[in-house]
Amino acid sequence: MSGIKPLKGIKVIDFTHVQAGPACTQLMAWFGADVIKVERPGSGDVTRTQLRDIPEADALYFTMLNSNKRSLTLDTKTQQGKEVLEKLIKESDVLVENFAPGALDRMGFTWERIQELNPKMIVASVKGFSDGHHYEDLKVYENVAQCAGGAASTTGWWDGPPTVSGAALGDSNTGMHLAIGILTAIIGRQQTGKGQRVSCSMQDAVLNLCRVKLRDQQRLDRLGFLEEYPQYPHGKFSDVVPRGGNAGGGGQPGWVLKCKGWETDPNAYIYFTIQGHAWEPICRALGKPEWIEDPAYNTPRARQDKIFDIFAFIENWLSEKTKYEAVDILRKFDIPCSPVLSMKEIAADPSLRASGSIVEVDHKVYGKYLTVGSPIKFSDLKPEITAAPLLGEHTDQVLAELGYSQDQIKSMHEGKVV
């Protein structure tokens, strides 16, 4: 890691598994925190074995969410395991967990007990629903969160079913929100000297990304229609925000359009946005200067009833151009657009490699693999992304740092405490 390490000196007990929690703690590890992933001896995080493509190696599901961490195996059901955890709590700053509700309490580590051990401790939790919600005991996964948070009901085609996104709106998005909460609590502790509990529910994190749809619900309640949706002006609106296909969510009409090769390439498309201030350059790029002053076209409201005719014209213009050729032409006119990139194209993108958004790391068992790097860029910080730890790889190291002798560590191994 070049430059400063802003979170150096922050020790994090990582009691998370699967995706939402690990995404949170991985972000902190990238920025310098010492993240100790506490796992069950012999098995560890369930994603170590999920969707494996090399039988003897940890799955990419695990390695891509746990880089830059240390792994400590610990059986917290044993008395000695609880004693180790007590020592770790006393020396740490943050504990992050995404257990089922009440799991920490049943382990004997209630919020009150943790405060006794370390009044400065910040306990951060990923939840499915917020405390007090009538579904707070419901088990939540990615697509459940997308449905509960309003994303699925507003995604897809108006004559089809609700559709979930391929993006991890419920999992990784919640982890990012929780990381912001933890960092806020750390700054708050600098002012008060006290720790606090922090939580983020998956429903709330999805809802936070759907705020424009909540905006649209209120507009629909008042007006009875939404003029930027494809259903306007000829379609019918019910009393709920409809699914808008590939329409833009911010009031700027946009659509996914076919390019040369779409018959054989499922991603030979671009996304094209018609912004009001970009109408003149759009007309010039398409060779339709007469549309610039034509009152049937020169305002967004005038264009709305002809929007699919306009998109059809643009698609015809695109028919002899690859998605890359089209974008290279359109960007010269400052027209908002993008090629639809496949994950294969993204993995090979030299710009993403150069920026550190996609990195290649070397794993002791798996070998070389690609993973994501920090999406946040700094002028004086470029995180070095290291491989995820093997199960229990740092157990002896962490125990020694807690003051255990080699004989005590050996005895814990023999007793299967670690």
Side-chain angles (χ1 to χ4, degrees):
M1 181 182 291
S2 64
I4 58 173
K5 295 183 180 180
L7 299 187
K8 184 178 180 180
I10 299 294
K11 182 174 286 188
V12 179
I13 303 171
D14 183 359
F15 258 125
T16 70
H17 55 283
V18 191
Q19 185 173 169
C24 168
T25 52
Q26 179 174 253
L27 189 70
M28 298 185 70
W30 284 343
F31 300 153
D34 178 14
V35 177
I36 300 172
K37 187 175 181 72
V38 182
E39 302 183 76
R40 290 174 296 177
S43 56
D45 191 320
V46 66
T47 60
R48 284 186 181 270
T49 58
Q50 284 187 343
L51 306 175
R52 274 177 164 163
D53 56 292
I54 298 179
E56 66 276 13
D58 288 328
L60 287 171
Y61 196 178
F62 176 84
T63 61
M64 294 179 71
L65 284 157
N66 292 281
S67 57
N68 294 58
K69 301 179 184 179
R70 297 198 286 170
S71 173
L72 162 70
T73 50
L74 184 65
D75 184 355
T76 56
K77 293 180 180 179
T78 67
Q79 184 56 41
Q80 196 169 23
K82 293 181 191 297
E83 291 171 1
V84 172
L85 182 54
E86 286 185 357
K87 283 192 174 186
L88 192 56
I89 288 172
K90 290 177 180 178
E91 296 191 8
S92 298
D93 299 276
V94 182
L95 186 153
V96 189
E97 59 90 16
N98 59 348
F99 292 127
L104 266 181
D105 293 356
R106 292 190 293 274
M107 287 168 54
F109 291 92
T110 62
W111 167 240
E112 290 74 22
R113 177 58 179 150
I114 291 172
Q115 281 188 304
E116 289 175 5
L117 295 168
N118 183 351
K120 293 185 177 182
M121 175 64 78
I122 294 163
V123 176
S125 303
V126 173
K127 298 177 177 294
F129 296 87
S130 292
D131 290 340
H133 192 284
H134 55 277
Y135 285 155
E136 67 178 338
D137 61 343
L138 187 64
K139 200 165 189 176
V140 178
Y141 293 107
E142 171 63 50
N143 292 347
V144 175
Q146 290 196 32
C147 291
S153 71
T154 55
T155 303
W157 301 96
W158 44 87
D159 56 354
T163 305
V164 297
S165 169
L169 307 181
D171 278 327
S172 286
N173 170 50
T174 304
M176 302 302 173
H177 276 81
L178 187 62
I180 294 170
I182 292 169
L183 297 178
T184 301
I186 289 174
I187 294 172
R189 186 177 64 184
Q190 293 171 354
Q191 300 168 1
T192 67
K194 297 179 180 180
Q196 62 178 304
R197 286 182 290 181
V198 181
S199 67
C200 184
S201 83
M202 296 171 75
Q203 181 190 38
D204 289 353
V206 172
L207 174 58
N208 193 37
L209 297 189
C210 292
R211 67 182 70 182
V212 296
K213 301 301 182 181
L214 183 59
R215 172 206 67 189
D216 291 347
Q217 183 62 58
Q218 296 171 88
R219 293 171 55 233
L220 181 63
D221 290 342
R222 182 178 296 276
L223 301 172
F225 63 91
L226 297 167
E227 65 180 28
E228 75 279 15
Y229 278 65
Q231 289 85 341
Y232 180 85
H234 303 302
K236 293 182 179 180
F237 288 86
S238 71
D239 61 350
V240 300
V241 174
R243 293 183 273 283
N246 286 315
Q252 309 295 340
W255 210 252
V256 172
L257 303 175
K258 299 172 184 174
C259 294
K260 182 179 179 180
W262 68 269
E263 299 90 344
T264 56
D265 180 355
N267 295 297
Y269 292 78
I270 68 167
Y271 194 85
F272 190 103
T273 301
I274 298 176
Q275 287 185 313
H277 70 269
W279 180 242
E280 181 175 340
I282 288 172
C283 295
R284 298 196 185 284
L286 299 176
K288 294 290 287 184
E290 63 271 24
W291 281 353
I292 296 173
E293 300 298 335
D294 187 338
Y297 289 90
N298 64 2
T299 67
R301 180 163 293 180
R303 290 190 292 272
Q304 185 61 32
D305 67 343
K306 297 178 284 293
I307 197 67
F308 283 106
D309 294 332
I310 295 171
F311 285 138
F313 181 89
I314 299 170
E315 201 164 62
N316 183 65
W317 180 82
L318 291 167
S319 62
E320 296 302 317
K321 302 172 182 66
T322 69
K323 61 186 179 183
Y324 297 112
E325 290 169 344
V327 169
D328 280 343
I329 293 169
L330 295 170
R331 66 179 180 171
K332 294 175 183 176
F333 290 86
D334 200 26
I335 297 169
C337 61
S338 173
V340 173
L341 297 177
S342 69
M343 295 311 300
K344 189 175 183 68
E345 290 168 313
I346 285 173
D349 191 316
S351 294
L352 293 175
R353 298 289 188 98
S355 69
S357 299
I358 296 285
V359 296
E360 184 178 77
V361 297
D362 198 4
H363 189 272
K364 291 180 179 179
V365 179
Y366 189 94
K368 293 187 183 300
Y369 67 94
L370 295 181
T371 189
V372 295
S374 173
I376 307 165
K377 312 303 181 187
F378 303 87
S379 63
D380 193 30
L381 171 65
K382 186 174 182 181
E384 177 188 357
I385 310 300
T386 61
L390 301 177
L391 180 61
E393 181 177 349
H394 304 96
T395 295
D396 292 1
Q397 182 184 75
V398 173
L399 292 175
E401 291 170 359
L402 291 174
Y404 289 97
S405 69
Q406 291 303 308
D407 287 342
Q408 289 173 312
I409 293 171
K410 181 180 178 182
S411 175
M412 280 191 271
H413 278 290
E414 291 172 348
K416 297 184 179 180
V417 175
V418 296

